[in-house]
Amino acid sequence: MEPNHLLQFLQSRRSMPLKEVRPDPIDPAQIELMLEAANWAPSHGKTEPWRFTVFMGEGRRALSTAFGEAYRRMTPPEKFDPMGQQVQADRPWQAPAWISLGMVTDGKMPEWEEMSAVAIAAHNMHLMATSLGLACKWTSGAIAIHPHVAEVVGLPPSGRLLGFLYTGLPAAPPPSGSRRPVADKVRWVTA
Ligand SMILES: Cc1cc2nc3c(=O)[nH]c(=O)nc-3n(C[C@H](O)[C@H](O)[C@H](O)COP(=O)(O)O)c2cc1C
């Protein structure tokens, strides 16, 4: 691939707010491609610590219930708001596919390396979604990583949930991206 094309493609990847994703179903074959891309992430010692659960269609009901329940568990009783719980339970229905980002390790490699590998897998997935013209975002708030949600996605107690990628057709053009100059983050040592 021509380097500038690759750079432009990387720059075109955006995180899209949930309200800018259409709820219409998408082809599971597109999710398969995203998962295959994820599986080509590097990992130290070839541990391949990424584990995914895909929620689509009616399968999202389990996620909806889990998000609502996680909200209940993490909210002190005096602050519990049924509307707040409903907001969480509604989220899975707003995008046609939700993919949990899980990590399972045998403890032989440092945890930060295993988490890095899962993050790269997630990024590969996001890049494939971009190439498919899908809107996508990694969401990692307190509910998206809650132990109850981790259990529902099928991770073992020793596993770790790092959030979800949701994806679907875009309902709006992507926002423009921006970065502070890379030169501000780099030192060159040449002699
Ligand atoms: C590990 C990780 C966790 C993230 N979690 C959230 C999140 O919980 N909510 C959110 O709005 N965006 C989340 N994002 C997306 C970032 O907000 C987004 O990448 C950043 O604003 C840059 O925008 P871009 O991805 O369009 O370039 C996360 C990104 C990463 C890498």
Side-chain angles (χ1 to χ4, degrees):
M1 183 186 282
E2 211 269 301
N4 273 322
H5 287 167
L6 175 59
L7 182 59
Q8 279 164 17
F9 174 68
L10 295 175
Q11 289 170 335
S12 75
R13 182 211 50 79
R14 284 284 71 74
S15 298
M16 290 284 274
L18 193 52
K19 63 179 169 38
E20 284 167 15
V21 180
R22 280 168 45 185
D24 314 60
I26 57 170
D27 186 348
Q30 296 185 309
I31 303 294
E32 299 271 10
L33 273 174
M34 290 170 62
L35 295 167
E36 189 60 32
N39 200 37
W40 281 90
S43 57
H44 190 177
K46 296 196 171 179
T47 55
E48 304 180 21
W50 43 85
R51 298 291 182 277
F52 309 116
T53 305
V54 180
F55 296 88
M56 292 181 83
E58 270 305 302
R60 290 171 296 168
R61 191 165 303 282
L63 206 54
S64 165
T65 306
F67 281 6
E69 176 59 14
Y71 170 87
R72 191 191 66 75
R73 292 190 190 193
M74 56 184 275
T75 309
E78 67 279 10
K79 294 210 172 130
F80 180 84
D81 173 6
M83 289 291 286
Q85 186 178 38
Q86 193 59 47
V87 166
Q88 295 305 326
D90 285 347
R91 293 182 73 224
W93 302 109
Q94 291 163 28
W98 288 68
I99 305 166
S100 65
L101 304 171
M103 178 181 83
V104 169
T105 78
D106 59 11
K108 290 195 184 121
M109 293 294 166
E111 190 182 44
W112 74 266
E113 294 193 341
E114 302 286 53
M115 283 170 79
S116 302
V118 178
I120 297 166
H123 195 61
N124 279 4
M125 242 196 271
H126 197 152
L127 289 171
M128 181 57 81
T130 304
S131 144
L132 291 163
L134 296 172
C136 191
K137 192 169 89 172
W138 184 340
T139 175
S140 60
I143 285 178
I145 62 166
H146 194 278
H148 173 68
V149 179
E151 204 181 314
V152 170
V153 307
L155 284 170
S158 60
R160 186 154 173 185
L161 180 61
L162 304 179
F164 288 80
L165 276 195
Y166 58 70
T167 191
L169 291 165
S176 58
S178 69
R179 293 293 187 268
R180 295 182 296 283
V182 69
D184 295 356
K185 304 155 190 164
V186 179
R187 285 176 62 234
W188 292 69
V189 181
T190 57

